[in-house]
Amino acid sequence: MIKKLLLPFFLFFIQISFGQPSFQLAPPMLKYKSAFFSGSTSFEVIFNQPGSQVRYTLNGKEPTENDLLYSTSVPITKRKQVKVKAFGKNFLPSEIVSATFIKDGKEIHLVSFSKPNESFATSKADILNDNIGGITNHLNGTWLGYDIDTVEINISLKNRETLNYVLINLLQDENSWIFLPEQILVYYYNNKQKAFVLAGKELFTHE
């Protein structure tokens, strides 16, 4: 009597378990020359999983299966936040991969910065405004590295203009002992007060 009751239950349980997706797709890879550009640029998606497809958005929202289907290189002509995600039958969707593309900002007259650590120094005076973003290789000469308490960067624009935001590119690689700062403070010079005034700040948590 007990065996007759257990057997149907066991078969039903097996059928339900095998009907659920259990493997997650690997995230796609975004390929582009630089996140900073003049005129126009483009990006490609590298992903190879038979029966799967990549969807993307250009407005910073999380992609769904109803969003744009990637098939070929996508042109970018203005500031965009791109997010891509892979979907496939019998697979869990991949993690989201994102990139923000920045078109030429304000015309910069002069940039000065604190002396970096010798291991992360550079001879390029325009390293912070050369329209070349840093990559994950921290030894390729596109980063400035510091081991001091306070780093100061001064930026002078060619013309007096209103800024809506300031983009700061940071690298974190704990395996290489590269960590984010505790905070970033942004000041602007107020002509009426004849002093620098705090415009905004960003705090970082360290676990």
Side-chain angles (χ1 to χ4, degrees):
M1 182 67 176
I2 295 178
K3 290 183 178 180
K4 289 183 179 180
L5 290 175
L6 288 178
L7 184 58
F9 175 78
F10 178 75
L11 292 176
F12 177 76
F13 176 76
I14 292 296
Q15 183 179 2
I16 294 297
S17 297
F18 278 96
Q20 300 295 325
S22 57
F23 295 100
Q24 185 178 30
L25 290 169
M29 186 174 74
L30 280 172
K31 181 181 178 182
Y32 51 89
K33 184 177 181 180
S34 175
F36 304 92
F37 67 96
S38 299
S40 65
T41 187
S42 63
F43 71 87
E44 297 179 6
V45 177
I46 299 176
F47 183 77
N48 185 18
Q49 175 64 44
S52 300
Q53 54 186 214
V54 174
R55 300 281 177 167
Y56 68 95
T57 61
L58 301 173
N59 57 6
K61 294 184 178 180
E62 179 177 347
T64 69
E65 292 183 271
N66 297 320
D67 282 306
L68 297 169
L69 174 64
Y70 177 82
S71 60
T72 187
S73 176
V74 179
I76 299 291
T77 58
K78 58 183 178 180
R79 187 181 191 274
K80 293 287 185 181
Q81 184 179 12
V82 176
K83 290 190 176 183
V84 300
K85 190 175 184 179
F87 297 88
K89 186 177 180 180
N90 297 327
F91 287 94
L92 295 172
S94 72
E95 297 292 334
I96 296 174
V97 178
S98 64
T100 300
F101 293 90
I102 307 296
K103 197 168 185 177
D104 277 343
K106 306 299 182 181
E107 190 171 358
I108 294 177
H109 171 63
L110 181 66
V111 176
S112 63
F113 45 82
S114 303
K115 184 179 180 180
N117 180 284
E118 292 183 359
S119 299
F120 304 98
T122 179
S123 59
K124 293 185 60 178
D126 64 343
I127 186 172
L128 296 181
N129 58 307
D130 59 0
N131 273 6
I132 300 177
I135 62 175
T136 54
N137 178 10
H138 60 276
L139 298 175
N140 74 333
T142 59
W143 293 99
L144 295 177
Y146 293 90
D147 55 359
I148 55 180
D149 291 335
T150 302
V151 175
E152 186 173 305
I153 300 173
N154 295 298
I155 302 174
S156 299
L157 300 180
K158 188 173 183 179
N159 303 306
R160 183 181 298 178
E161 301 188 53
T162 300
L163 299 180
N164 297 317
Y165 60 88
V166 176
L167 176 67
I168 301 175
N169 203 0
L170 302 173
L171 175 65
Q172 182 179 21
D173 184 358
E174 296 183 1
N175 292 328
S176 300
W177 288 86
I178 299 175
F179 302 93
L180 297 177
E182 291 185 356
Q183 63 178 357
I184 294 177
L185 304 177
V186 178
Y187 293 85
Y188 72 95
Y189 188 77
N190 188 300
N191 286 310
K192 292 183 179 180
Q193 299 182 25
K194 302 297 181 182
F196 284 96
V197 179
L198 181 65
K201 65 179 179 180
E202 184 76 21
L203 302 178
F204 298 91
T205 58
H206 298 272
E207 297 181 356

